[in-house]
Amino acid sequence: MIAKISRGKDTAGLIRYLFDTKKAKDHTDPHLVASWDGFAPDPGRSDDFAATKKLLVADLDLYVKQARRHDRAPELHVWHCSVRAATTDRHLSDEEWADIARRVVAATGIAPQDDPDGCRWVAVRHAPDHIHIAATKVRGDLSTARHWNDYLTADRELAMIEKEYGLHQVVRGDRTAAKRPTRAEQEKARRQGRRTTSRERLRTTVRQLVSVASSPEEFFHLLDGVDGIRVDVQRFSSGDVRGYKVAVEGDTNAAGEPVWFSGSALAPDLSFPKIAERLTGIEGPSPIESGSQHRPNPWHQATAAAERIAHHLNRSDDTAAQAHIAAFAEALDILPLLAPSHLRAQLQQATLAFERASRSRIRARQDQARALRGAVKAMLREPAPRDGTALAMFLDAATLVVIATARWHQLRRHDQQVTAAHQSLIHLQAAYEEAAVAPLAALTRRRPPQQAVERHIRYVRQAVPGHAEQVVEDPAFEVLTAALAEAEAVGHDPERLLRQAASHRALDDARSPARTLAWRMQRLSARGAPGAQTRNSATTGSTPPAPTQRPSVHQSPPGGQRHR
C-alpha cells in the first residue's frame, strides 16, 4: 500500500472532488466508509446530495471556524491522504478500508486513538482499490494537530497492515535516496533535446569527481574545470568552505538566472561536509622497494581490496561495512571513465543503479576502506592494459561484491537498496561477460598438454577439496589450467599459488569458480615468482621486508572529462 499526503485550505473543494463522478471517470459509487464519530453525513448515500455535502463540509470545518475567531487556525487547515492498494491485491471490503483509515489517522496524529479532542475526518471510497482521507487539522481543544513526519508514520503503519491483511508488501525506502527529477525538469530536458535532466547530469559529474579527487581542494579544482558546468563555492568569513552549488550552463529559470543545485540537493552524500569527510585520510598506492621493477598494479590492488569486502560485510560492524559499500561505489563511479567505449553504457547503468544501494540510514565509518579508495585513485593514473585482463578481473570480483551487498541489505530490511543492487548486478554481469571474451580466449589458446592438465587436476583436488568437482567440471576449467601453466612457467609453485588464490575469498557465490580462480592466479603470478630467500622465509615462517618506495603520481583529470 502507498500513502500520498498533501495539505490545502479548501475543505469544500476537496469534498467536491472526492464525490465528483462527472469529471473524474474513475470515481464510481463515492461514499463514506468511516468518519471521526461514525455518524458523519454521507452525500453518496443521501437523496439530497447538495444539501448533505454542504452539511458535511460545515461539520468538518466546525473547529476551524471556532479557532479562526481567536486567530488560531492554520492557513493550510486541510489534510488529505490517499491510500492505494497494489493492483495485484484483492478488493478490500468497506469495513476493512474503514479499519485502515482509523489506523492511519491514529498513527499520523490526526486523530489519536481514544483521544476525544482528535481532528474531524472522513474516509471516502470512490474506487475499488483506494480511499481518500479528508481531515481538518484543528483539534477539539482548538490546537493544531501535531502530525510531524506523517508520511513516515503512515508508511510504517501501512507496512504492518500489508502483513496483517496478506497484501503485497511494497518496497519501502529510508529517505536516503537521491531526489528524483521533477516532472517540470523532465519536460524541460525533453524540450531542449537532452536525454538527461540537469540534476541527473550534475549528480553523475559530481560523484565521478569525488571518486577522482584526493582532497576537497582538488575536488573543487576539477569541478571548476569541467566544460559546461558552473560552480559557486560559499565560504565563511574565515575563508573556510561552507558549501557549494552547481549549475549547467544555459539552464536558466524564467528570470534568466542559472538553476543552481546544492550538493545535498543532488544526493544526501554529496553535501560538502560529507565529501570532505570522505576525502580525508585516503591511503596512497602501496610503496615498493627502491630500484624494484615490480610496481604494484593498482588494478590488482583494487581487485584484491574488492574481494575482501564480502568478508568485511560478514565480520565487521555495520558502520564499517557501510563504509566499504560506499568505497566500492566510488570504484564503480570511475569505471565508465576508464573502460573501452563498447562497455561504457552497461557500466554507466550499473553505476547509476548501485548509487542507490551505496547509502542507508547507517552512518559509514570513513576511517575504513581507505586501501580501496587509494587503489581507485591510482587506477586513474595507470589505465588498464589493452588486453582487458585487469578490467575483467575487477568486474569478476565486483559482481560478487554486489551480491554480498544485496544480501547485507536484505538482512537489515533495506528493501530499496536490495532492489538497486539486483538491478546493478544485471548490468555488471553483462559488462563482465563482454569484457572477459578476449582475455579468456587468449588464455584458452595457451591450454597446456593433457599430461599437465592431469597434474593440475591433482593440484585442484588438494588445494580446494570442497569445490574440486565443481571446478574441474566447470566449462572454464581449461582457462584455469592455462593460468596454472603460465604461473608454473615463470617459476611459481602452482599448487601453492592455487591454495593462496582459493584462500582469498570463498567460491560459493562465483558463477564460474574456475574462471574466478584463473583471474586470481593471473593476478598473483603477475607479482613475480618468489626467490630462494622468499621461499625459505615462507618455510620458516619469517616475513620478507616491506617495500618502501612510492610510485609517482601524475595529477591529471579523469579520462572523458572535458576541461576548459
Side-chain angles (χ1 to χ4, degrees), residues 277-288:
E277 186 180 7
R278 288 161 64 183
L279 294 181
T280 55
I282 296 174
E283 287 185 8
S286 296
I288 60 176

Side-chain angles (χ1 to χ4, degrees), residues 277 317-320 322-324 363-369 373:
E277 186 180 7
D317 62 79
D318 283 358
T319 56
Q322 179 64 58
H324 285 282
R363 184 177 177 84
R365 281 175 51 195
Q366 298 299 347
D367 60 331
Q368 300 292 313
R373 286 195 169 102

Side-chain angles (χ1 to χ4, degrees), residues 166 226 275 451 519 533:
V226 178
I275 290 176
Q451 183 179 0
W519 293 134
Q533 180 181 355

Side-chain angles (χ1 to χ4, degrees), residues 49-62:
F49 174 80
T52 308
K53 183 181 68 174
K54 186 176 180 180
L55 182 59
L56 175 60
V57 171
D59 286 353
L60 286 171
D61 276 343
L62 177 63

Side-chain angles (χ1 to χ4, degrees), residues 45 93 127:
R45 294 292 184 264
S93 66

Side-chain angles (χ1 to χ4, degrees), residues 481-543:
T481 61
L484 283 165
E486 286 193 348
E488 192 172 21
V490 297
H492 283 286
D493 178 348
E495 183 181 354
R496 180 172 174 271
L497 205 64
L498 186 60
R499 289 182 186 276
Q500 188 178 355
S503 67
H504 278 197
R505 177 176 46 78
L507 299 171
D508 300 330
D509 292 330
R511 292 196 301 169
S512 173
R515 280 194 300 187
T516 298
L517 286 172
W519 293 134
R520 295 181 192 169
M521 293 288 295
Q522 288 257 291
R523 192 172 74 248
L524 292 171
S525 62
R527 300 175 182 175
Q533 180 181 355
T534 305
R535 286 195 296 268
N536 291 337
S537 64
T539 304
T540 59
S542 61
T543 304

